[in-house]
Amino acid sequence: MEFLIATAIGALTWAGIYLSLRGRTFPVVLGVTMLSYAINLFLFAIGRLKVGAPPIFSEEAATYTDPLPQALVLTAIVISFGMSALVVVLSLRTFLETGTDQVDGEPDPAIDPLDGDRDEWIKRRNAHRIDMLGETRP
Amino acid sequence: MSLSISDNLAASLIAAPIMLPSLAGTMALIFRRRRRMVAAGISIGSTALQVLIAVALLLRASQSDPTPYAMGDWPAPFGIVLVLDQLAAWMLLLTSVVGFAVATHAALTKLDRKGWNFHPIFQFQLLGINGAFLTGDLFNLFVFFEVLLIASYGLILHGQGARRLTSGVQYVVVNLTGSTLFLVGLGILYGVTGTLNMADMAARGAQLAQGDRGLFLAGGLVLIAVFALKAALLPLHLWLPRAYSSTAPAVAALFAIMTKVGAYSIIRTTPLIFGDVAEPILLPAALGTIALGFAGMLAARGLRDMAAFGLIGSTGTLLVAIALFDSDGLAAALYYLPHTTLAAAFLFLTVDLVVRWRGVEGDAIVPTPRFAGASLLAFLFLAGGVALAGLPPLSGFFGKLLILDAALVSPHAAWIWGVILVTSLIAVVALARAGSTVFWKHDETPELPEDREPPRLVQALPCLFLLALLVGLTVFAGPATRYTQGTAAQLLDTPLYLRSVLGTASPPSPAAQGDAP
């Protein structure tokens, strides 16, 4: 089990670091999410791995797992989930605002399909925004 | 009976810097759309009250040993404690005065009307910062870091704009990665010591077997790397200039505290828990940070960039003093810390006024036609430049003198002296060039048509308040240095901290690790 957990944490961390070093927001968001999964698994493991033992401390219990890491993981999950939601919304907003999902906000002519049509894109985006709001604006 | 009630109240005052902003933030939330004057009043009133509370806590901390406050009355290693000591009180006072100036500035310049939620987010930001300074528990330090980061995401995006959004995405991603690393460090430390309370961890860390010691120090170094990221130390500084220069300058003024939260965490955890393990890395990195920050000032094309790079450079100077890890170095650092925070906040607020009053060209360092209020701004900018570069007569001069004096005993004294002196000169050159271009030179274009409303001089009051504090720090340098020397002595007296927080000098039986093989 130790091997499996360690491999899982390592693979998730590796993928997370690789993706979060990319230049576009979608892979970065995925990478940060994977990193936080890896961390949650890691936090589970820091109280030592035990199978079938209750997470309580009692004088009678023959064996038990450390309950504190599970409480920590709970807090960490809440925080990282909220953060992921925030970064998703933020990158979506940046995409709508700048017309590209490059993290620096500058379209890359080599790979960006919107190259050259940026003004048209912003026009289309504005029209779309009006549709979404269900009202017309000057 | 009445004595015990007043005792209880006095003890509860330790929790007030956390309770008050959360209450004020929630109350300001009610008035976010209509009656914004009420929200602004609540926000300013709350920060003013925090100044008073911080003064009371400072007086109390200077007379006693570190005082724990057990949340929910659970004793220290098991429950969560807040710890008030001289360092925490010093940082709380600094936060509250900067918070007061920034809240007033935002209300006077109507920055808080560019979005709906400025005042609530601002109060929650103060909640996170105050909590980080008070907590005696590493996991709670993480939680308060998250609170202040979430609020800072809101503040950094306040006022919208594409540039602000792209730099905001970078800022969020960098800090998310930092938070993840924070948890890695915490996980390692908990796995090794079985505790998260700082005092308990210090006691148990000292008793670790040789094999576990390496893992313990590795966890400590990961944590210090995270704190260095928050403090924008050399290889980890890349996020700061763009984030701070594309946000509203008043918000950046508050963020001058945020780099100090990183520095504070290094001061708090390193001498107590890890010893001087980080010194060989911290010192060169800090020297490089100074060089890079002040060189960046020279290269900056806008006043906001310039202030952001100045913040990096002065934080580097602070970290040099911290990296000495002796009594004199810490005392000098703790005197320089409020100075550099106030100076950076002051410069950011001044730049905000320049952007607002100048009419054209914003904060770009180019000559423009003369504008109303320029002479007052020129005076403020001069004072800010003097403060940031550390020239006499303001307190930065004493701060740098103390740091240089403390560095004499270090084997790297020549490097420290050389870097600090040369970079101070570079900073002076950069500030003089910017100031003379913006305020002195005037291009030949005709003056602006005077249909703009004239600048309201009342907007400069928060700036003048910060300037008065800088002057005060200079005039009362004697009492202030005596206080910081006491603080440094208290920080290095680890047994005293353990005794005060845990009640005993020895750790309790390792219940949480009872199942370790």
Side-chain angles (χ1 to χ4, degrees), chain A residues 73-89:
Chain A
V73 169
L74 194 62
T75 315
I77 286 176
V78 171
I79 291 177
S80 69
F81 191 71
M83 290 294 180
S84 306
L86 178 90
V87 76
V88 166
V89 171

Side-chain angles (χ1 to χ4, degrees), chain B residues 267-348:
Chain B
I267 301 178
R268 168 67 76 207
T269 55
T270 310
L272 179 66
I273 306 178
F274 310 119
D276 52 2
V277 55
E279 193 200 339
I281 310 165
L282 213 50
L283 190 61
L287 287 174
T289 312
I290 305 178
L292 180 123
F294 288 134
M297 281 179 89
L298 206 55
R301 293 198 185 145
L303 292 176
R304 289 191 288 182
D305 288 327
M306 192 158 173
F309 275 108
L311 183 61
I312 293 183
S314 63
T315 309
T317 314
L318 175 67
L319 286 165
V320 164
I322 293 172
L324 296 171
F325 286 123
D326 59 7
S327 170
D328 285 345
L330 281 177
L334 289 174
Y335 180 75
Y336 189 70
L337 191 151
H339 162 79
T340 174
T341 313
L342 293 173
F346 175 56
L347 200 60
F348 271 117

Side-chain angles (χ1 to χ4, degrees), chain B residues 174-229:
Chain B
V174 163
N175 279 301
L176 277 185
T177 320
S179 304
T180 316
L181 264 185
F182 199 145
L183 281 177
V184 173
L186 273 185
I188 295 174
L189 289 176
Y190 181 80
V192 177
T193 61
T195 182
L196 287 165
N197 183 286
M198 288 186 202
D200 201 19
M201 186 177 284
R204 292 193 190 180
Q207 299 169 352
L208 281 178
Q210 195 57 39
D212 287 341
R213 184 87 193 150
L215 202 53
F216 179 69
L217 291 181
L221 283 174
V222 171
L223 274 195
I224 290 171
V226 177
F227 300 149
L229 173 75

Side-chain angles (χ1 to χ4, degrees), chain B residues 70-378:
Chain B
M71 303 295 275
D73 231 5
W74 288 86
F78 304 108
I80 291 165
V81 286
L82 305 177
V83 183
L84 174 78
D85 64 353
Q86 294 198 15
L87 175 62
W90 192 235
M91 302 300 292
L92 285 176
L93 181 63
L94 177 65
T95 311
S96 58
V97 293
V98 174
F100 177 65
V102 173
T104 317
H105 183 94
L108 285 175
T109 57
K110 299 202 170 62
L111 172 73
D112 55 344
R113 300 188 168 223
K114 286 197 160 181
W116 280 348
N117 296 319
F118 181 84
H119 289 297
I121 298 176
F122 183 80
Q123 291 296 322
F124 289 126
Q125 170 92 60
L126 290 179
L127 159 74
I129 296 175
N130 287 346
F133 290 150
L134 273 175
T135 184
D137 180 285
L138 273 181
F139 194 77
N140 264 45
L141 185 66
F142 166 76
V143 173
F144 280 120
F145 261 66
E146 291 304 310
V147 171
L148 74 88
L149 283 175
I150 295 170
S152 78
Y153 302 152
L155 282 183
I156 210 164
L157 295 170
H158 182 81
Q160 311 278 333
R163 182 164 180 237
R164 205 162 283 183
L165 272 168
T166 48
S167 72
V169 169
Q170 294 167 4
Y171 176 77
V172 172
V173 168
V174 163
N175 279 301
L176 277 185
T177 320
S179 304
T180 316
L181 264 185
F182 199 145
L183 281 177
V184 173
L186 273 185
I188 295 174
L189 289 176
Y190 181 80
V192 177
T193 61
T195 182
L196 287 165
N197 183 286
M198 288 186 202
D200 201 19
M201 186 177 284
R204 292 193 190 180
Q207 299 169 352
L208 281 178
Q210 195 57 39
D212 287 341
R213 184 87 193 150
L215 202 53
F216 179 69
L217 291 181
L221 283 174
V222 171
L223 274 195
I224 290 171
V226 177
F227 300 149
L229 173 75
K230 310 284 180 208
L233 199 64
L234 179 59
L236 306 170
H237 68 279
L238 294 163
W239 59 273
L240 190 142
R242 189 164 169 177
Y244 280 31
S245 67
S246 44
T247 187
V251 171
L254 180 68
F255 285 6
I257 288 271
M258 300 250 290
T259 51
K260 307 307 181 294
V261 177
Y264 160 84
S265 309
I266 293 177
I267 301 178
R268 168 67 76 207
T269 55
T270 310
L272 179 66
I273 306 178
F274 310 119
D276 52 2
V277 55
E279 193 200 339
I281 310 165
L282 213 50
L283 190 61
L287 287 174
T289 312
I290 305 178
L292 180 123
F294 288 134
M297 281 179 89
L298 206 55
R301 293 198 185 145
L303 292 176
R304 289 191 288 182
D305 288 327
M306 192 158 173
F309 275 108
L311 183 61
I312 293 183
S314 63
T315 309
T317 314
L318 175 67
L319 286 165
V320 164
I322 293 172
L324 296 171
F325 286 123
D326 59 7
S327 170
D328 285 345
L330 281 177
L334 289 174
Y335 180 75
Y336 189 70
L337 191 151
H339 162 79
T340 174
T341 313
L342 293 173
F346 175 56
L347 200 60
F348 271 117
L349 289 190
T350 307
V351 169
D352 192 31
L353 292 182
V354 172
V355 174
R356 281 168 196 281
W357 292 2
R358 204 169 168 205
V360 286
E361 299 285 3
D363 69 334
I365 304 178
V366 291
T368 53
R370 199 168 169 73
F371 53 98
S375 41
L376 174 63
L377 285 183

